[in-house]
């Protein structure tokens, strides 16, 4: 089941985001850099399209779509105006059990209803195979917010039905 997130779930979503990143055994210092971006606040939930996936009444993952109103620079990375698949995280106990794929399918349908033609995605290196599988198109390697590290920029076309 997928439904809109509510503000009181912000701590749960933050916990899932951190757990999903820890699954890949990143160095502890990366989490200091990622602390703010992995923290899901009430304000973030209220300002963006945030949806949770539940299995047996338990939240096991979430997805968010954010609109960037104008281009902006983050150090070496240019974030372009448009819609972004800002977060997709699945609790480690449910990785590989189609929760992520279901969230992306849901996001595609939501975008169709809202006349959003594509989503931009900055992909964690460990998620590249996932984005290839769901039909996202690799655009280029871009600098990460971790010095000396690169991530992949993808575009997910939303086809009308």
């Amino acid at each position: 089941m997928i439904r809109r997130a509510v503000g009181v779930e912000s701590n749960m979503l933050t916990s899932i985001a951190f757990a999903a990143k820890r699954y890949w055994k990143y160095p502890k210092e990366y989490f200091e850099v990622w602390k703010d971006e992995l923290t899901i606040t009430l304000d973030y939930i209220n300002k963006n399209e945030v949806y949770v996936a539940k299995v047996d009444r338990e939240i096991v993952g979430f997805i968010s779509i954010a609109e960037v109103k104008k281009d902006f620079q983050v150090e070496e990375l240019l974030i372009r105006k448009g819609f972004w698949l800002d977060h997709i995280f699945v609790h480690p106990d449910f990785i590989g059990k189609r929760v992520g794929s279901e969230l992306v399918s849901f996001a595609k349908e939501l975008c169709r209803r809202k006349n959003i033609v594509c989503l931009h995605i900055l992909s964690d290196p460990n998620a590249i195979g996932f984005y290839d599988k769901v039909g996202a198109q690799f655009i280029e390697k871009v600098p990460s917010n971790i010095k000396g590290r690169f991530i992949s920029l993808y575009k997910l076309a939303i086809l009308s039905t």
Side-chain angles (χ1 to χ4, degrees):
M1 178 185 137
I2 298 173
R3 64 154 172 80
R4 184 113 190 181
V6 294
V8 295
E9 294 168 335
S10 62
N11 289 339
M12 170 64 75
L13 302 187
T14 297
S15 175
I16 290 170
F18 275 90
K21 280 289 196 185
R22 280 191 203 98
Y23 177 83
W24 301 109
K25 300 189 181 355
Y26 284 115
K28 184 179 171 186
E29 57 270 17
Y30 283 20
F31 289 90
E32 279 304 308
V33 175
W34 292 332
K35 185 175 67 171
D36 289 340
E37 86 182 59
L38 294 178
T39 299
I40 308 302
T41 64
L42 169 65
D43 190 51
Y44 182 85
I45 290 171
N46 289 336
K47 289 182 177 175
N48 297 286
E49 298 285 338
V50 183
Y51 291 84
V52 298
K54 294 177 80 176
V55 173
D56 297 329
R57 297 183 175 183
E58 178 185 356
I59 295 174
V60 299
F62 70 98
I63 194 165
S64 68
I65 298 169
E67 182 180 8
V68 173
K69 303 266 188 194
K70 62 181 185 174
D71 293 358
F72 69 94
Q73 194 81 29
V74 179
E75 296 183 23
E76 299 174 48
L77 178 61
L78 175 65
I79 303 294
R80 297 245 176 235
K81 173 183 172 181
F83 289 91
W84 290 78
L85 194 161
D86 198 28
H87 293 296
I88 180 169
F89 288 108
V90 174
H91 188 279
D93 292 345
F94 291 86
I95 290 174
K97 296 183 179 174
R98 297 210 32 83
V99 174
S101 298
E102 292 295 326
L103 283 165
V104 170
S105 292
F106 176 86
K108 285 179 173 180
E109 184 55 37
L110 179 70
C111 289
R112 280 186 202 100
R113 290 194 314 264
K114 292 181 173 282
N115 295 315
I116 297 170
V117 297
C118 78
L119 291 173
H120 304 286
I121 305 164
L122 291 172
S123 173
D124 183 281
N126 291 297
I128 288 170
F130 171 76
Y131 288 118
D132 290 339
K133 186 175 89 175
V134 298
Q137 176 189 4
F138 172 79
I139 305 298
E140 65 181 328
K141 291 279 189 188
V142 297
S144 166
N145 55 0
I146 305 287
K147 294 286 184 208
R149 183 173 180 259
F150 287 82
I151 56 178
S152 295
L153 173 65
Y154 277 85
K155 181 170 133 178
L156 181 63
I158 309 299
L159 304 174
S160 59
T161 53

